[in-house]
Structure formats: structure tokens, C-alpha cells
Amino acid sequence: MDVPVLYVKGKQAFKKSMGSMRLLGNAANLVKKLSEEYALFHIVDLDALNGNKSNFDLYDNLTYFTHVQVECKPDEKLIGALLQMEARVVVDLPAKLDFEKFGKKKSLLVGKVKPGFAEPFPPIREILLDGKDDELAKRILNEDKRLFVRKEHYPKGFRRAFGVLFEL
């Protein structure tokens, strides 16, 4: 599955272009248009990474017609609010979170790991490998986790990857 990456700040969508951010327009309108082609969107919420919930109403609306996974600050209140609206939440690993606290909603959590990650995975089902590491990718799959990779690290994908993230 191809998964577009969007950066959101102040309800506006951006993309990275040659090291800087380029405005794409209103995030809700853009996702609605692109949802005809894509089933899942990976959103890096630049406000939520600073602990601000200003874009959360956007996700509440988006989850009615598509699926989004949102990167935010690893704060239980922020994560809980996103999970309540059925948004998937991307959490950097290792994390000092009590994953069991999220109950059945923990199925909406995605762990994000860097190459060389050697710690045990928390009790979540999906892992985003943020870099090229074939051995770690195999370990993720061997532990029966869904694997997400980035297209720039795996231009032809990775065998059995659940999703391939790409920049618009």
C-alpha cells in the first residue's frame, strides 16, 4: 500500500522540498481529494510534536472518510485524544509509555524505529522502519508485525511490507 506523507501546521498541508517546506494548501481539502487514490495518510503534525492539539479537529473530520496516522509528541493525553477519534498514532521507540493503558485502542499505535533498533518491541502490531536496515526489517516481520518502510530507503519496497511511505 502506498502511503503519502504530509506535514501539517495550522491546518495547512506542506511537503518537504529540497530541505524546506512547501505549502500545498488546506489539509482537509487535500486529503479529501487524495483519498480517492490513497487509503492511508501519514501525517507529521508539527504542532502536536510541540504538544499543541490545534489540528485535532482536522483528524476527527478526516477519520470519517479515510485513515490517518499522526506523528505527535509522546504524551499520553495527546495519544489518547487521537485514539479516541480513531486516528492511528505514530510513537518513536523506545518510548516510556504504558502501552497496555490504551487497551484495545493500542491496535491503532505504530512504533517508529531507527536502523539498529535492538530493544524488544512493545505490545503493538505495526512498526515504521525509518531508515534502511534489512536485518531489522526481517526481525519486524519475523515477530509478526506489520512493516512500514520509506520509499527513499527502499525504492522498490521491501518484500512483504504492509505500507510504503512516500513524499508527495
Side-chain angles (χ1 to χ4, degrees):
M1 167 176 31
D2 289 333
V3 181
V5 176
L6 298 172
Y7 298 83
V8 172
K9 184 169 180 63
K11 297 184 182 35
Q12 297 296 312
F14 297 84
K15 75 174 199 169
K16 276 191 180 177
S17 178
M18 297 187 291
S20 62
M21 302 298 266
R22 184 173 150 246
L23 178 65
L24 295 173
N26 178 280
N29 294 339
L30 179 64
V31 171
K32 189 166 191 163
K33 179 181 175 186
L34 291 172
S35 69
E36 296 171 8
E37 187 174 350
Y38 303 104
L40 174 63
F41 295 85
H42 183 93
I43 298 174
V44 180
D45 188 327
L46 301 172
D47 294 317
L49 285 171
N50 291 317
N52 186 328
K53 293 169 65 172
S54 62
N55 298 314
F56 280 31
D57 59 332
L58 168 69
Y59 309 129
D60 196 25
N61 291 327
L62 294 178
T63 57
Y64 282 103
F65 63 87
T66 193
H67 301 281
V68 295
Q69 58 189 39
V70 181
E71 287 191 42
C72 70
K73 183 177 182 178
D75 174 274
E76 286 186 5
K77 288 182 182 178
L78 293 175
I79 293 169
L82 287 164
L83 293 176
Q84 281 304 111
M85 60 184 80
E86 301 295 320
R88 298 156 51 89
V89 183
V90 180
V91 180
D92 285 331
L93 297 180
K96 295 180 181 179
L97 295 169
D98 178 6
F99 290 92
E100 295 300 333
K101 180 179 182 176
F102 300 112
K104 291 182 180 178
K105 296 277 187 183
K106 76 179 175 197
S107 66
L108 296 172
L109 295 173
V110 180
K112 181 177 169 186
V113 298
K114 298 283 186 195
F117 183 83
E119 297 186 31
F121 295 115
I124 58 178
R125 179 142 190 236
E126 299 178 344
I127 304 292
L128 165 60
L129 175 54
D130 194 19
K132 185 162 179 56
D133 185 334
D134 294 346
E135 291 306 311
L136 180 55
K138 290 175 188 171
R139 182 178 137 220
I140 292 166
L141 292 169
N142 286 339
E143 291 191 28
D144 201 28
K145 307 282 186 194
R146 285 187 186 169
L147 171 66
F148 287 90
V149 296
R150 292 187 178 271
K151 189 170 190 151
E152 64 263 26
H153 302 132
Y154 291 95
K156 295 182 181 180
F158 189 88
R159 197 175 118 245
R160 299 183 344 196
F162 181 73
V164 178
L165 280 61
F166 70 96
E167 301 281 337
L168 283 175

